[in-house]
Amino acid sequence: MAADAMTRSAGDSTPGPSALESLADTAYTPYWLEDPGRPRARPALVGDETCDLLVIGGGYSGLWTALIAKERDPARDVVLLEGQEVGWAASGRNGGFCAASITHGLGNGLARWPGEQTELERLGHRNLDEIEAAVERYGIDCDFERTGEIDVATEPHQIEELREGAELAARLGVGEHEFLDRDAVRAEVDSPTFLAGLWDREGVAMVHPAKLAWGLKRACVERGVRIYEHTPAEKLASAGAAMAVRTPYGRVRARQVALATNAFPALVRRVRPYVVPVYDHALMTEPLTPEQLDAIGWKRRQGLSDTNNHFHYFRITADNRILWGGYDIIYRYGGRVRAEYDHHPATYRTLAQHFFRCFPQLEGVRFSHAWGGAIDTCSRFSAFFGSTHGGRVAYALGYTGLGVGATRFGAEVMLDLLGGERTERTRLEMVRSKPLPFPPEPVRWAGIGITQWSMTRADENGGRRNLWLKAMDKVGLGFDS
């Protein structure tokens, strides 16, 4: 284990020649961001600006906040600042799983807010419906396919867990979930490692993540939002009845501010202990041939994820590539976020080896792209919300890998909080409560390390959780991506 980086132990033998050769011609850049439709960056802010609402962050969270603010009140003067380019960070690097869940899954929501779970599921599915409607309304070409997602069992103990998940969903009446036995799941996507599956038919859509961000950017501009890229927000302070944000070449004075910085350090220091940035990585194959597609099936194009603690997620793209990501969760001491952390060759080797274990019939396929990026993880695995400075500043953070869909819900919450409104969202215990903060270093480093080790042991021992994980479960403190 390196002195400044922590990842779970792969516990695997050295990758074979096929896995290593598959990486020989790989480009180390996010596949999604290489799309020829990538728009040019808008100019940086130079000088002073004033507005009603300032949104800080040009990922999904900030874009949805700016767009919905204009939908609610077209006369509202909205400015958005982005430190790099819109969609450059997690919004252009994720797997493109746009999920209805706003609680990081039914089980996590039920464990934390049992009295609200039916309502949370209803709001989550409505949120996904509204994303689909916005994609249609604004003509956003982002390969939106509401194909659902299959959670697959790759170990015997996971089969019953999936069966119980289907029964729980049926009892709560939260969407169409179908249990698939070994033959049924392999009829959908053929892997010798699949033992069973749970197909959420309605609750997940596949998207081209960068195109979604770029489409939202265009919609914002068309609605009158002023977007400044390559304009990091450096300092937030009160300025009389308003707020002032300093940038490298100017300043913005705003009546209200929405913070949508996610994995990057929040301008409100007191919320920083609630989030740790962790690094996730993915590979993208070259386009599959018709013969290779026939070998694995996958005709209905669902997203897939296995159900280990250290899990893989994978999906097929519009041009018939396979994205294969996840497994390792890498934490850097002190919670640093730096561009050089985006790549981790050891993880790429492990992912390549696991890919061919899952799909041995694809022997010889090459990976065209490999990349990584930071995820804003919090201890309850789902977003938390709040306001500061007398209600003039709102924030939503901690999406823990589920932000493609849930950020739109978070945008609605931030706007409700800034409006001082008591809504069906702001009444929720989920919205009113906070996760447990992570401890300071070096306790944080040690705790994450013990948790990583314990999760690995659970995966290797039939899912049995040791005393450390049971204690963490009891107090509601977790670590995930």
Side-chain angles (χ1 to χ4, degrees):
M1 187 178 295
D4 69 338
M6 179 180 296
T7 181
R8 54 97 59 201
S9 171
D12 292 305
S13 58
T14 302
S18 178
L20 294 177
E21 288 170 5
S22 70
L23 297 166
D25 303 312
T26 301
Y28 296 100
T29 185
Y31 165 77
W32 310 115
L33 296 179
E34 284 197 337
D35 192 275
R38 182 174 182 169
R40 293 184 62 181
R42 298 182 71 81
L45 173 67
V46 177
D48 290 348
E49 264 278 21
T50 60
C51 59
D52 297 323
L53 173 66
L54 172 63
V55 179
I56 299 176
Y60 298 137
S61 185
L63 293 164
W64 280 119
T65 302
L67 182 59
I68 296 170
K70 294 294 284 186
E71 289 176 339
R72 290 186 180 188
D73 180 4
R76 195 173 195 173
D77 190 23
V78 180
V79 168
L80 184 149
L81 303 182
E82 164 54 38
Q84 294 284 336
E85 294 184 22
V86 163
W88 167 82
S91 297
R93 297 167 185 260
N94 63 80
F97 288 64
C98 187
S101 178
I102 56 177
T103 62
H104 210 278
L106 184 58
N108 187 57
L110 196 60
R112 298 180 186 279
W113 305 287
E116 292 183 347
Q117 188 55 30
T118 300
E119 176 70 359
L120 290 168
E121 288 290 319
R122 183 187 68 81
L123 289 172
H125 278 80
R126 187 177 76 186
N127 183 64
L128 181 56
D129 291 341
E130 290 172 340
I131 291 173
E132 185 172 12
V135 166
E136 176 68 24
R137 182 166 64 252
Y138 292 108
I140 299 175
D141 178 15
C142 62
D143 304 332
F144 190 97
E145 298 180 282
R146 198 155 175 177
T147 54
E149 179 181 7
I150 302 176
D151 292 332
V152 296
T154 57
E155 299 292 338
H157 72 272
Q158 298 165 356
I159 299 172
E160 189 57 32
E161 293 173 3
L162 295 184
R163 197 187 304 275
E164 291 171 356
E167 294 170 355
L168 176 62
R171 270 202 318 274
L172 295 175
V174 289
E176 186 180 351
H177 292 70
E178 179 183 355
F179 176 78
L180 306 174
D181 63 17
R182 182 187 181 110
D183 289 342
V185 71
R186 291 190 64 174
E188 294 297 330
V189 184
D190 191 15
S191 167
T193 67
F194 294 174
L195 305 179
L198 178 58
W199 186 0
D200 178 357
R201 287 179 172 269
E202 303 173 347
V204 183
M206 297 294 106
V207 301
H208 185 303
K211 285 184 176 180
L212 176 59
W214 300 333
L216 291 172
K217 172 184 174 179
R218 175 177 55 79
C220 284
V221 171
E222 289 173 352
R223 285 266 180 165
V225 177
R226 299 193 299 288
I227 295 178
Y228 297 97
E229 296 178 83
H230 296 292
T231 306
E234 296 180 334
K235 186 176 180 181
L236 171 72
S238 295
M243 301 299 301
V245 172
R246 188 181 68 204
T247 73
Y249 307 122
R251 187 179 75 151
V252 182
R253 184 183 175 93
R255 288 196 309 109
Q256 296 176 324
V257 177
L259 298 178
T261 51
N262 298 327
F264 295 91
L267 291 178
V268 176
R269 285 187 169 270
R270 72 171 184 246
V271 307
R272 292 184 183 180
Y274 292 103
V275 173
V276 296
V278 298
Y279 278 81
D280 179 57
H281 296 83
L283 302 176
M284 184 73 85
T285 72
E286 62 191 354
L288 301 188
T289 66
E291 293 75 22
Q292 289 167 332
L293 287 169
D294 287 343
I296 58 172
W298 216 339
K299 291 181 171 55
R300 292 198 260 197
R301 308 177 62 80
Q302 309 95 326
L304 285 96
S305 174
D306 65 54
T307 52
N308 293 298
N309 290 309
H310 291 284
F311 61 92
H312 306 85
Y313 56 87
F314 40 117
R315 49 80 56 95
I316 196 161
T317 66
D319 59 349
N320 294 325
R321 301 169 185 262
I322 294 176
L323 178 142
W324 178 264
Y327 193 67
D328 281 346
I329 310 170
I330 299 175
Y331 173 70
R332 304 282 179 170
Y333 187 89
R336 296 183 288 264
V337 180
R338 295 178 181 170
E340 59 262 36
Y341 298 158
D342 289 345
H343 299 294
H344 199 247
T347 295
Y348 298 148
R349 293 195 301 268
T350 299
L351 284 173
Q353 181 184 20
H354 292 180
F355 177 86
F356 291 110
R357 182 183 302 164
C358 182
F359 294 121
Q361 61 270 54
L362 296 182
E363 183 83 16
V365 165
R366 296 290 185 110
F367 293 104
S368 62
H369 296 75
W371 70 92
I375 292 173
D376 57 329
T377 291
C378 75
S379 63
R380 73 184 193 186
F381 312 147
S382 56
F384 64 94
F385 316 90
S387 60
T388 67
H389 293 81
R392 289 173 292 171
V393 177
Y395 57 83
L397 301 167
Y399 290 96
T400 317
L402 231 67
V404 181
T407 45
R408 189 192 176 282
F409 176 82
E412 296 259 34
V413 172
M414 282 196 285
L415 292 170
D416 289 351
L417 293 173
L418 290 172
E421 302 174 44
R422 184 168 174 79
T423 68
E424 60 183 348
R425 291 174 289 269
T426 60
R427 287 192 293 267
L428 293 168
E429 181 188 351
M430 175 195 175
V431 170
R432 291 183 288 106
S433 63
K434 295 283 191 300
L436 288 174
F438 290 98
E441 301 289 16
V443 177
R444 177 187 299 181
W445 167 262
I448 290 174
I450 296 170
T451 302
Q452 292 269 49
W453 179 86
S454 299
M455 291 166 67
T456 301
R457 299 288 81 78
D459 283 340
E460 295 171 348
N461 291 286
R464 290 185 290 276
R465 299 172 76 78
N466 64 15
L467 291 176
W468 175 267
L469 291 180
K470 288 178 181 178
M472 295 297 99
D473 292 342
K474 189 170 183 178
V475 299
L477 184 63
F479 180 73
D480 203 351
S481 69

